Amino acid sequence: HYLASAAGKHLRLWDFRDAQVPSQPLQSYPPQQATIADIGWKPGRENLLASCGYNGLSCWSPDSAVAVREFEWKGSMLRLA
């Protein structure tokens, strides 16, 4: 099981599959351009993690610290659904 966390411009992914509290994140993604307003998870074959904030949305893979896809948005994007 994964848990994603956002603090300011930083997004981290934690791995709880061993039912223990990890001391280090599985993945630390590069700082975003602006404070992260919301995060979302798309479980399944792709296991995508999304983060949004001012100027857009980024999609991330648990396997890579490079954004899989980025969508530009003029202004603040406050929530994902």
Side-chain angles (χ1 to χ4, degrees):
H1 297 9
Y2 294 115
L3 173 71
S5 65
K9 296 179 181 183
H10 300 277
L11 179 64
R12 293 177 181 88
L13 184 64
W14 305 84
D15 186 353
F16 283 87
R17 287 180 290 187
D18 295 331
Q20 297 180 8
V21 177
S23 60
Q24 297 291 322
L26 174 68
Q27 192 68 260
S28 291
Y29 299 96
Q32 305 297 291
Q33 293 179 5
T35 300
I36 297 170
D38 199 11
I39 55 178
W41 183 254
K42 181 186 179 288
R45 188 172 60 107
E46 296 171 339
N47 277 334
L48 290 179
L49 175 63
S51 64
C52 72
Y54 191 80
N55 280 339
L57 167 86
S58 297
C59 295
W60 308 90
S61 167
D63 303 321
S64 173
V66 177
V68 175
R69 185 100 191 250
E70 294 184 310
F71 300 91
E72 187 176 330
W73 182 270
K74 299 295 182 192
S76 288
M77 183 179 290
L78 301 176
R79 296 284 180 259
L80 297 172

